[in-house]
Structures are given as C-alpha cells and as structure tokens.
Amino acid sequence: MKALRVAVAVATVMASSPPVLAASEPPPGAASCSGCHTSGAAAASSVSRLYGRNADEIMTAMTGFRDGSLPATVMNRIAKGFSDDELRAIAAWLAAQK
Amino acid sequence: MSYRISRRKFCGVGAAAVTASTFSSAFPLPAFAQAAARVVVIGGGFGGASCARALKAIDPKLQVTLVEPNKTFTACPFSNNVIAGLRSIEAQQFGYDKIAAGGVTVVAQAATAVDATARTVGLADGATLSYDRLVLSPGVDLRFDALQGYDEAAATKMPHAWKAGEQTLLLRKQLEAMGDGGLVVIAAPANPFRCPPGPYERACLIAHYLKSKKPRSKLLILDAKDTFSKQRLFQNAWKELYPGMVEWVSLSQGGKVNAVDPATNTLITDFGNHTAQVANVIPPQRAGRIAEIAGATDKTGWCAIDPVTFESKSAPNIHVIGDACLAGAMPKSAFSANAQAKVCAAAIATLLSGGTPATPKLINTCYSLAAPDYGISVAGVYQPKNGLLADVEGAGGVSPADAPREFRAREADYAQSWFSTVTAEVFG
C-alpha cells in the first residue's frame, strides 16, 4: 500500500513538475550556508562564495575546521555539528550549485 | 478554488505579478498540468520574504503570495549602529520590487483574518486569498499590557526601538539631545524575546557614542534575567572598552522593571526608582497578532511548531517561522528566520508534491558589535529531537573569551558581510 502511494506520488511529481525539485533539494544543513556565503553573484564580501566550488576543497576545509587544524572564527563551532557523511553531502550540493 | 480578488484592488501593487498568479489561465500551460498549488506567506521580514523567494526558487510553478503592509522593510540587525550614530537608517531599508520581479505576488495589505478550515486569509481591504499552505512570519508584537504604564503612548516618550524605523530614530534623537553626564537606562525583558544579545549590543554601542561625545554619562541596564546571551564576552567588553560607564543590574539584584512613569521618565523596580534622561524600555513580546488569530499560538503567546516542517502544532496547513515560533534551542534572530524559511519552503514544496520532508539541520550565527571594530558571535547547529529543535551536542558556542583584538576585528567584518549577504539573498 505504501509502495503504491509512493509510486503514485512519484508518478504525480513526474507528470506535473520538472525534476528540478529533487535534484536541487539541499541536504540537511546546506540551506543555512547562504546566510553568510553568498548564493548570488560574487560580492565584495570577506566571506567566500561556496557555490560551484570544488567539493573536495570544501570537505577538506570543513574537516580542518572541525578538528581544529585550520584556524577559524566561527566555522570551527559550526563544523562540529556535522558528520563526515553530512559534510560530504553538503560539499557535493554546494559544488553543484551555479 | 475561487480566488476572490479583483485586479482593480491591486492597482499599483505589481499588476503583472498579480495577473500571473491570479489568472494563470492567461499563460499557456501544458494540458496535463494541474492547477499550481497556492502558498500565502504573511510577513515580509527576514523569515517571510526568504520563504516566499525560496518557494518560488524550488518550484517556479507555485503560486506564491507575500502579504506585507509596509512597502519598505527596515531591518533590525545593525539598527543599534543607527542608534549610536554609526549608520544611516536608509542602510537598513529594503523594498520588495525584486521579490515581485521574481514572480512572487506581493500584496501591500495587512492580513486581518485566517480561516484555517476554509484555508483563506482575509486582508484589511476586504479581499480574500485562498491557500493550500500558509506561512506565518509575523515577527513579534510588543506587549503593551505587560509593564504597568508602558503602553503605545509611553513608547513615544520611552522608546523600545525593538522594531526598527521611527522608534530607532526616536532613541537616536533622544541620545543626541541628552546633555553630558546624563543617565541612559535600558530595560531588558525576560526570555524569550527577539534578538537575545540585542540589548547588550545596544548598551555597547550607546556607550561607544557616549564615550566620545558625552563621556561623563552613565548607562544602566535593568534586567529581568540573571543571565544573558554572550554574557561573559559583553561584560569583558564593557570593562575593556567602557570602564565605569556601563552597569548591569540582574534580576536577583533587583533589575526587573515592573512599571514605568513616562511623565517623569522613571523606571520602577522592587528595589527602587531610576529616573533616566533617556529610557529605552524593551517590553516583553509575543508572536505577531495574526498568529493568534490563526489559532497558531499557545498559552505562552508563541507558536509551537513541528521541527521538521515548521507546521503549527495547533493549526493544520499553517507553518510558522522566525521570531514568532518556538524553535527550541534556536534563538529569535534574523539568521534563524532566514535558515528556517529555506527549510520550511523545501518542506512545503515536498508536502505539496505528496512527499515526506527529510529531517533537516539548521544553523544560526549571531554577531554582535561591542564597538565598530569589535565583533563577537554565538553559533549553533540544530536538529529535531523530541519534537523540538535541539542543539547538536558538541557544536556551537560563543567566540573565545581570550581572543586578540585582531580576532574581534575579523568578526566585526564578518558581521557586516553577513548583513550584506543575507539582505541580498532576501531582498536583492
């Protein structure tokens, strides 16, 4: 029954909307980043733009912030709230954004 | 399904955008498409405006209407700089043109009624909007029934300046008019309230002004609490930057203001009276009135929500974000409102397409300025736990207590960057 509902839901989504929704949905935590890291055109900001950045670079920075090997003001406190898997998902999503 | 608004009523409120969502039949749509789902968002601040935009970005076919009576939004973050004479009020102000240009129907009316059963919103001009999902982001209402003597008329004498705009400028004018040697009093409320570090940042920046222009003056904070956000950092900054100028009186030291007398600018506590040259009274608060009208508030005056979808625990199909909601460990900040808005928008889009929203994680970062080049911050990471948004253990916290001034300067710079970035995301 559940499988049927899911199938119907999937069919409905496929029929009525482009696949953009599923493809662009940010993983847990990722939507918060653009409060400080611009999602728009690169602005005159001291905070780096993350959209389109290499995922490995983002991952390396986040794990460095988390274990304290990279200096930070606030990112060390934030990185500690995420597991490797979560960070990988966030990094991949940010890298895929334009 | 009726959408009982005539085009005539919307003259001058972005007729093209209204046409697009009201008369979708005017646009050629694929024959198989069902009617686009309608989401109404009430409140055009950091939460509501972010949510309206995010909904449209996630699914451009959604009919998104943003209901906000003010044509110009005046931001609270950095308004303490305006009070201290460090910034113009214009730097705090944003319009809705870009949001409307992105396909959101912006309706410059106050929402006055919500029928959660019929799923309609009534507007001040008598029009009605139908919705599939409603988002409330009404911010706070100041409680003019909480402190004896502090009503709306009193606020024109003893400004709260807790909603940015005229009140911000009034407090600024009073500080400018005060003679050297005057007493400034800030009355801070008990939790919860909008912007937990705000009163203490305000104390710093007013002291910054007094130190250079009126150095014999004093600033007294009368507090209804025994602890506050970034307390040690603020107290260190007061000692370091404004020695002998700022005094904090906690609840247990008799700091709770019970009543005020605007005729004499007097604040009355259990322990005595304080007559100020400038009295900034920040009263207790509750969710904006429309939340209560919608049946989304509980006995605290705030809105209990599901931490995954931000759907009200008492009003189905109504989501509450920003300062009005009870977000557990997440503070009432513009950053939180913006982060919640994006999670809520994604959850609504998923719900409308028949899916189950994923469990989110959210981040908050709040900067405060102890001086223009001295920033401090508190951050947190949150996830749903036991029906609330809880701190992710081991994450978050405040800036280090022993950081060098270069570190403080960097955080002050990041504070400015955050404001530019978030306001560009929301309004730009």
Side-chain angles (χ1 to χ4, degrees):
Chain A
M1 188 62 197
K2 191 180 177 194
L4 178 62
R5 272 210 305 275
V6 170
V8 168
V10 168
T12 309
V13 169
M14 287 175 70
S16 62
S17 62
V20 58
L21 178 60
S24 67
E25 192 165 329
S32 294
C33 304
S34 60
C36 289
H37 300 270
T38 183
S39 57
S45 169
S46 329
V47 181
S48 55
R49 187 172 188 273
L50 298 176
Y51 281 19
R53 283 276 286 272
N54 180 286
D56 290 338
E57 274 176 39
I58 297 173
M59 187 66 192
T60 302
M62 288 301 283
T63 49
F65 291 140
R66 193 177 56 188
D67 66 22
S69 61
L70 274 180
T73 53
V74 71
M75 283 313 301
N76 49 349
R77 293 175 256 158
I78 291 169
K80 289 190 179 103
F82 294 92
S83 67
D84 278 354
D85 285 348
E86 289 171 329
L87 290 179
R88 263 192 291 273
I90 292 170
W93 183 83
L94 289 169
Q97 304 308 302
K98 296 277 159 54
Chain B
M1 287 302 288
S2 68
Y3 196 83
R4 282 164 279 168
I5 297 190
S6 71
R7 287 179 77 167
R8 183 179 48 79
K9 283 185 173 135
F10 279 112
C11 281
V13 205
V18 170
T19 306
S21 63
T22 310
F23 303 100
S24 54
S25 59
F27 287 76
L29 290 171
F32 58 78
Q34 300 173 345
R38 300 151 304 176
V39 183
V40 174
V41 181
I42 298 176
F46 284 99
S50 298
C51 193
R53 258 199 164 165
L55 283 160
K56 205 68 191 166
I58 292 166
D59 185 354
K61 289 204 286 57
L62 289 176
Q63 290 186 20
V64 182
T65 305
L66 178 62
V67 178
E68 167 56 55
N70 297 304
K71 296 274 175 75
T72 302
F73 174 69
T74 306
C76 275
F78 275 89
S79 67
N80 284 333
N81 290 51
V82 178
I83 290 165
L86 297 163
R87 190 177 176 90
S88 76
I89 194 86
E90 288 77 19
Q92 298 297 108
Q93 293 178 325
F94 302 89
Y96 297 97
D97 290 353
K98 298 270 178 61
I99 294 172
V104 172
T105 305
V106 180
V107 177
Q109 284 288 323
T112 53
V114 173
D115 184 332
T117 308
R119 298 195 197 179
T120 57
V121 173
L123 304 180
D125 67 356
T128 302
L129 301 170
S130 295
Y131 64 81
D132 296 297
R133 292 268 164 183
L134 174 64
V135 179
L136 301 179
S137 188
V140 300
D141 271 2
L142 301 165
R143 287 189 49 195
F144 287 114
D145 60 347
L147 300 177
Q148 193 192 331
Y150 197 71
D151 55 16
E152 277 180 82
T156 64
K157 185 84 195 305
M158 309 170 94
H160 52 78
W162 219 240
K163 292 193 175 202
E166 285 307 309
Q167 280 277 310
T168 311
L169 295 174
L170 177 60
L171 182 52
R172 173 66 195 153
K173 274 184 215 131
Q174 291 187 353
L175 288 167
E176 282 177 323
M178 186 182 85
D180 191 8
L183 174 68
V184 179
V185 178
I186 298 175
N191 293 323
F193 66 102
R194 161 178 283 178
C195 191
Y200 315 97
E201 179 193 65
R202 179 171 289 179
C204 289
L205 294 179
I206 290 176
H208 177 79
Y209 166 71
L210 297 175
K211 188 180 171 184
S212 64
K213 297 288 163 56
K214 292 157 190 182
R216 293 189 296 115
S217 307
K218 291 270 186 276
L219 191 148
L220 185 65
I221 305 165
L222 298 175
D223 210 327
K225 304 179 285 306
D226 276 325
T227 58
F228 60 88
S229 176
K230 307 176 201 170
Q231 181 165 350
R232 187 165 164 217
L233 293 166
F234 276 120
Q235 289 179 317
N236 287 350
W238 293 334
K239 248 183 268 170
E240 184 183 344
L241 304 173
Y242 314 112
M245 185 171 260
V246 178
E247 186 189 346
W248 175 63
V249 184
S250 68
L251 171 67
S252 55
Q253 295 166 321
K256 182 172 186 285
V257 173
N258 297 318
V260 299
D261 179 6
T264 56
N265 242 20
T266 301
L267 303 100
I268 298 148
T269 71
D270 285 341
F271 288 60
N273 296 353
H274 303 269
T275 298
Q277 273 64 57
V278 175
N280 169 212
V281 178
I282 305 165
Q285 295 145 39
R286 62 181 159 222
R289 172 93 175 106
I290 194 69
E292 189 183 349
I293 291 170
T297 52
D298 67 14
K299 63 183 189 309
T300 65
W302 304 99
C303 304
I305 46 111
D306 177 287
V308 174
T309 61
F310 289 86
E311 186 165 356
S312 164
K313 288 194 172 165
S314 56
N317 305 307
I318 298 178
H319 301 249
V320 188
I321 55 173
D323 292 349
C325 78
L326 287 167
M330 252 186 133
K332 299 187 185 305
S333 72
F335 193 114
S336 290
N338 171 257
Q340 292 165 5
K342 289 179 274 191
V343 166
C344 178
I348 286 175
T350 302
L351 288 167
L352 288 171
S353 63
T356 303
T359 302
K361 265 194 173 178
L362 295 99
I363 300 169
N364 175 63
T365 304
C366 284
Y367 290 100
S368 301
L369 297 178
D373 61 349
Y374 190 124
I376 54 179
S377 64
V378 61
V381 183
Y382 310 92
Q383 64 189 2
K385 190 178 177 186
N386 303 327
L388 291 170
L389 281 164
D391 277 303
V392 173
E393 278 178 39
V398 299
S399 310
D402 55 355
R405 279 302 288 270
E406 187 275 329
F407 189 100
R408 308 291 188 218
R410 217 145 26 102
E411 290 220 287
D413 182 36
Y414 290 159
Q416 297 267 5
S417 287
W418 165 74
F419 187 82
S420 317
T421 299
V422 78
T423 54
E425 182 179 56
V426 182
F427 300 102

